[in-house]
Amino acid sequence: MKFDISYTFDALPRLFEGALVTLQISLLGIALSLCLATGLTLVREATGWTWAHRMLAVYISFIRGTPLLVQIFLIFYVSPVIGLDIGPFLAGILAITLNSAAFVVEILRGGLASVPKGQFEAARALGLNGWVLWGKVILPQTFIASVPALVNEYTQVLKATALLSTITIVELMRVSQQIYTRNYHPVEVLTGTFLMYFVMCFAVSRAAAQLETRMKRRQA
Amino acid sequence: MGLELSIFIDYGPRILVGFWLTIKIVVLAIAIGLPLGVFLALARRSRLALLRFAATAFIEVFRNTPFIIQVFLIYYVLPFYGLRLPAEQVGVLALAAFGSAYFAEVIRGGIEAMPAGQLESAHAIGMSETQAMRYVVLPQAVGVILPPLTNQMLSLIKESAILSTITVQEMTMTALRIQGETFRPFEAFIMIALLYWLLNEVVAIGMRRLERGLTRKTPRSTTLKVEGGR
Amino acid sequence: MSRDAKFLELIEITTKFDTLTALDKVSLTVAKGEVVCIIGPSGCGKSTLLRTVNWLAPPNAGTVRLEGQSVGQAPERRQTGRGIRALNTFRARMGMVFQQFNTWPHLTALENVTRAQVVVLGRSAAEAAERARAALCDVGLADKIDDWPEMLSGGQKQRLAIARALAMDPSLMLLDEPTSALDPELVSGVLAVLKSLAEKGMTMLIVTHELGFAAQVADRVVFMEAGRIVEEGPTSQDLHAPKTERLKDFLAKLTATQMPSAMAQKVVAHDPI
Ligand SMILES: Nc1ncnc2c1ncn2[C@@H]1O[C@H](COP(=O)(O)OP(=O)(O)O)[C@@H](O)[C@H]1O
Ligand SMILES: [Mg+2]
């Protein structure tokens, strides 16, 4: 057989649609993950709830110690059995969010570590406390310091969404499977898909690298 | 709807067979991927522009695409060019290629993290290239490289679950089958999740021991971060 | 006699980095037992000159000879085979000390000093350890033998680096701004070690900004600018009656900014390490 690039071209319009879905899901995923991780960070850093800290540690260890695919299957297959009929889309988003948040919590920990201790003292000296201290002083600086790592995390989420094809979510990977199961030209179609993922991820990771050098320079 | 404990007993042995295949696949993938990663790291520092470019391209392509599509592409491309291999072997190759790209980055990072003065001082005192590597560069690089290398190995364990999509009968595939037969997804998936978790922790602890043994108690200043797969 | 006078010869060294000429036909001869201090503004090629001597920075043109034997002759790079082996033998005879110390953090102080003796000179472990102890004692680190470099102060690290070089029993020492990375209060200890080395007759090539030290120790001062030697002469003349305006300016600026460590200098002379 010969590589027939016309199959790649024919697939492109639908692949673009798939890529758009991939982008939407991944952006939703990283946004939710950031929210969840911020909440978890506050619990970890601003409260003395020992039991919550312990559970958080177990959650992070579990997420990091098991395959995302298995986490997706757990949520997708188990939720209907326990009476939560949330469907593949919600199950997928939930899995991606829970997974990514465990990594984002660690990123925010790093960002928080780079906020000078004096900031806490200065804010306290001004009489700031609780929500104002965290919301107005500490968290904004934490986020800014974490930007390159967060952009990098986004590439991870982008790649992770491809796994949602296994639970019938019609994103880029699933679209390409639908195409080649009809035209029997998987190599041509997958090559197009492959390049699309590469362009998206490469662009984002370049941006992350550039942000990182720029921030390092500003610090120096 | 309680927990069906009998599933663990009835299907445990089958899961363990899948677990064993998971371990074998990962070990083989590391055995192939690590030397390939070393080669790629060195190729990236080569004086030949073409070799440098090829290595960089390989690394960037594998790091910037989802593993699942790498697997599918390799699965279909090999027979396309006349190479028919059993799914397990395709899986090992895909995992090795994926891993080698990350291993290469870790190794390159470890070499580059070393201040240039270290190599220079070794040369200045009369050490040959090999002596400088053996006595000055590598002993220090090990401490920097091992922790992120461990993370990459752990990520290979996790990525291997994706080989279930090309019908490799590893642990995740086995769990999928079992949940199809029993309609008890929670028991099936929690069982393998715990085993992955266990394997992950065991390897992590083992590597930390090894690291401590190899680097003694020298204080360390640099840490590398290279994010693997999920 | 002439052999001793031409102990080290650098002949017409030219080094280029892309379009930048770091060294422009520089020639320098050093006699046995002589202490030569190299001064000059940052970026003028001092480090490159020093790194030419042991061929760490192979020049584009020129020759380096040690006791009449060719260390390197541009454009040879000596990166392989017998060339590099011969070069390594030369390097072992030249102790080099860097601004950033470059002590080896994965080895204890003693191991830092024994490693190359064993690996490069083929000394036995016992022999190397004995020599290392003596060298560490000479630099005032007798009580730090089992410490990790990280636990040492900057001054102690630099003295460890000097001991590492001395233990190879070199016939020549190359020192590139050995005190520039040190806190002012740690400078004196290192300079005291160098001074005692000079008194023992060690041939030394020292890049330094410590004029007080140069005045005390150097037989000759070489002033470089933009890749060339601008003025070269006996220490007293160079430092006290410079011939060129350039050197006058340079000395004026340096002394203006350097008073504190020149003061530290005075203390050295009497203080044991
Ligand atoms: N490896 C190198 N690559 C490119 N340029 C270099 C290199 N080493 C030195 N240079 C340049 O050569 C000039 C002389 O450097 P150097 O000898 O380090 O100066 P000094 O030690 O007097 O401050 C400087 O302009 C420096 O930027
Ligand atoms: Mg310099």
Side-chain angles (χ1 to χ4, degrees):
Chain A
M1 266 211 296
K2 217 172 114 305
F3 189 93
D4 187 347
I5 201 154
S6 66
Y7 287 101
T8 313
F9 283 123
D10 289 345
L12 278 185
R14 285 197 60 202
L15 290 182
F16 273 121
E17 282 168 29
L20 211 60
V21 177
T22 287
L23 282 175
Q24 286 166 345
I25 295 179
S26 58
L27 284 171
L28 183 60
I30 189 87
L32 291 173
S33 146
L34 194 54
C35 294
L36 177 58
T38 305
L40 294 176
T41 299
L42 281 176
V43 168
R44 182 155 80 180
E45 305 293 340
T47 72
W49 307 337
T50 322
W51 56 272
H53 294 184
R54 277 202 205 115
M55 277 177 52
L56 186 58
V58 172
Y59 156 73
I60 291 174
S61 170
F62 178 81
I63 295 288
R64 298 187 143 225
T66 56
L68 171 59
L69 187 64
V70 173
Q71 294 159 20
I72 292 172
F73 286 162
L74 253 177
I75 293 175
F76 176 70
Y77 287 106
V78 173
S79 54
V81 182
I82 58 172
L84 283 171
D85 207 355
I86 54 176
F89 185 79
L90 272 184
I93 285 286
L94 187 60
I96 297 268
T97 303
L98 287 174
N99 179 275
S100 171
F103 292 84
V104 175
V105 168
E106 297 293 298
I107 290 174
L108 293 182
R109 183 213 283 270
L112 186 63
S114 73
V115 177
K117 282 281 159 297
Q119 297 284 325
F120 283 87
E121 282 144 27
R124 291 229 170 81
L126 286 172
L128 299 184
N129 251 321
W131 294 118
V132 187
L133 169 68
W134 281 93
K136 293 258 152 81
V137 182
I138 305 300
L139 280 181
Q141 296 185 64
T142 304
F143 287 135
I144 289 171
S146 313
V147 163
L150 288 173
V151 175
N152 214 33
E153 170 65 16
Y154 178 63
T155 64
Q156 297 296 330
V157 173
L158 205 50
K159 289 188 275 179
T161 56
L163 293 183
L164 299 182
S165 60
T166 58
I167 55 168
T168 72
I169 293 182
V170 187
E171 42 61 73
L172 180 52
M173 181 73 199
R174 186 82 180 182
V175 168
S176 67
Q177 287 171 331
Q178 286 175 343
I179 300 172
Y180 73 70
T181 46
R182 297 227 176 88
N183 71 8
Y184 301 105
H185 281 270
V187 173
E188 288 88 345
V189 177
L190 284 169
T191 301
T193 316
F194 190 75
L195 288 176
M196 260 182 205
Y197 274 115
F198 177 73
V199 170
M200 292 193 284
C201 295
F202 190 68
V204 178
S205 60
R206 287 283 84 198
Q210 222 140 62
L211 277 170
E212 193 162 356
T213 44
R214 198 177 301 172
M215 287 185 62
K216 271 211 190 103
R217 219 177 300 142
R218 195 177 302 168
Q219 274 167 11
Chain B
M1 135 120 257
L3 204 60
E4 191 70 70
L5 283 175
S6 64
I7 305 260
F8 292 95
I9 295 154
D10 296 344
Y11 291 89
R14 254 175 81 185
I15 291 283
L16 286 180
V17 173
F19 189 45
W20 181 231
L21 185 58
T22 289
I23 292 174
K24 272 201 292 193
I25 287 174
V26 172
V27 168
L28 277 174
I30 292 172
I32 299 171
L34 199 50
L36 186 57
V38 173
F39 170 76
L40 286 169
L42 295 178
R44 221 177 154 165
R45 298 167 58 85
S46 156
R47 268 177 234 151
L48 301 172
L50 191 67
L51 192 57
R52 221 162 46 224
F53 175 80
T56 310
F58 182 95
I59 292 169
E60 290 300 336
V61 162
F62 274 90
R63 287 184 62 206
N64 284 295
T65 44
F67 180 57
I68 188 171
I69 182 154
Q70 295 166 15
V71 172
F72 272 89
L73 199 53
I74 293 173
Y75 183 72
Y76 286 112
V77 159
L78 292 181
F80 191 77
Y81 291 104
L83 189 59
R84 278 180 198 288
L85 294 177
E88 284 106 80
Q89 290 178 23
V90 175
V92 168
L93 286 182
L95 202 57
F98 170 85
S100 71
Y102 288 92
F103 291 147
E105 280 302 272
V106 167
I107 292 160
R108 185 175 75 115
I111 296 173
E112 281 176 6
M114 184 130 351
Q118 288 293 316
L119 191 60
E120 188 152 77
S121 58
H123 283 148
I125 209 162
M127 289 192 189
S128 69
E129 194 69 41
T130 16
Q131 287 169 338
M133 276 285 159
R134 162 85 180 73
Y135 296 103
V136 177
V137 177
L138 286 183
Q140 293 183 60
V142 164
V144 183
I145 287 174
L146 261 188
L149 200 62
T150 304
N151 281 343
Q152 294 315 320
M153 292 180 177
L154 297 178
S155 102
L156 287 198
I157 296 175
K158 290 179 272 172
E159 295 296 319
S160 73
I162 290 172
L163 300 180
S164 60
T165 55
I166 55 164
T167 72
V168 178
Q169 299 285 337
E170 45 65 74
M171 187 154 66
T172 301
M173 187 63 183
T174 313
L176 273 168
R177 289 260 158 88
I178 292 173
Q179 82 87 23
E181 290 164 23
T182 60
F183 301 105
R184 305 293 304 204
F186 182 75
E187 286 82 351
F189 290 122
I190 205 68
M191 192 158 33
I192 65 167
L194 290 175
L195 284 171
Y196 277 117
W197 200 7
L198 180 76
L199 182 60
N200 193 79
E201 293 302 303
V202 167
V203 173
I205 290 167
M207 290 299 286
R208 228 172 288 146
R209 286 255 169 88
L210 176 69
E211 182 197 331
R212 235 176 281 148
L214 283 178
T215 60
R216 299 193 297 186
K217 286 183 195 66
T218 53
R220 178 171 315 118
S221 44
T222 8
T223 45
L224 283 178
K225 52 168 179 30
V226 180
E227 189 70 55
R230 296 279 153 96
Chain C
M1 177 61 212
S2 101
R3 174 125 185 206
D4 275 0
K6 291 188 171 181
F7 185 68
L8 173 72
E9 291 173 278
L10 291 126
I11 305 159
E12 305 238 305
I13 303 289
T14 297
T15 305
K16 291 184 175 141
F17 296 111
D18 292 322
T19 57
L20 177 104
T21 306
L23 293 176
D24 191 4
K25 289 205 179 165
V26 174
S27 296
L28 181 69
T29 307
V30 179
K32 193 170 171 72
E34 203 180 9
V35 176
V36 177
C37 280
I38 304 172
I39 58 175
S42 163
C44 69
K46 306 180 297 292
S47 299
T48 310
L49 186 68
L50 222 56
R51 288 154 40 83
T52 308
V53 176
N54 59 4
W55 224 244
L56 276 180
N60 299 79
T63 308
V64 174
R65 291 210 194 100
L66 183 69
E67 297 188 277
Q69 296 166 298
S70 166
V71 175
Q73 190 160 12
E76 70 181 345
R77 297 246 139 202
R78 290 205 170 197
Q79 275 164 342
T80 50
R82 195 184 296 160
I84 188 80
R85 274 197 292 279
L87 176 58
N88 286 333
T89 318
F90 277 113
R91 284 175 172 168
R93 288 166 59 191
M94 308 190 237
M96 189 167 213
V97 174
F98 303 84
Q99 183 176 348
Q100 297 299 337
F101 328 134
N102 296 338
T103 48
W104 297 325
H106 60 298
L107 301 175
T108 62
L110 186 69
E111 290 166 333
N112 259 276
V113 185
T114 54
R115 190 61 92 232
Q117 292 186 62
V118 174
V119 170
V120 177
L121 301 179
R123 288 181 184 160
S124 74
E127 199 184 346
E130 195 181 322
R131 181 69 191 87
R133 285 209 170 80
L136 285 165
C137 205
D138 284 346
V139 301
L141 291 178
D143 57 335
K144 303 287 180 193
I145 278 182
D146 293 318
D147 284 8
W148 298 103
E150 308 291 295
M151 294 152 68
L152 302 177
S153 73
Q156 291 169 330
K157 273 188 213 164
Q158 192 59 298
R159 284 186 273 142
L160 173 57
I162 294 171
R164 180 174 70 183
L166 285 180
M168 302 291 283
D169 296 313
S171 41
L172 168 70
M173 288 283 281
L174 308 167
L175 300 105
D176 191 355
E177 304 197 29
T179 57
S180 297
L182 299 178
D183 292 337
E185 72 273 18
L186 300 176
V187 169
S188 59
V190 171
L191 292 182
V193 168
L194 298 183
K195 192 158 177 268
S196 79
L197 263 180
E199 278 158 7
K200 284 182 201 152
M202 175 65 78
T203 314
M204 292 199 276
L205 215 53
I206 311 175
V207 175
T208 186
H209 295 303
E210 301 286 344
L211 296 181
F213 168 75
Q216 280 185 4
V217 173
D219 298 305
R220 201 143 51 95
V221 171
V222 169
F223 174 59
M224 288 182 71
E225 195 170 60
R228 293 176 196 211
I229 294 181
V230 177
E231 190 166 342
E232 178 184 356
T235 308
S236 53
Q237 179 200 314
D238 258 19
L239 294 184
H240 301 303
K243 282 182 287 197
T244 56
E245 282 303 311
R246 304 294 315 141
L247 180 51
K248 249 178 239 168
D249 281 359
F250 179 74
L251 292 176
K253 267 184 216 135
L254 208 56
T255 34
T257 55
Q258 265 208 343
M259 283 321 281
S261 69
M263 301 289 279
Q265 215 77 67
K266 291 260 155 56
V267 187
V268 187
H270 318 286
D271 242 15
I273 317 149

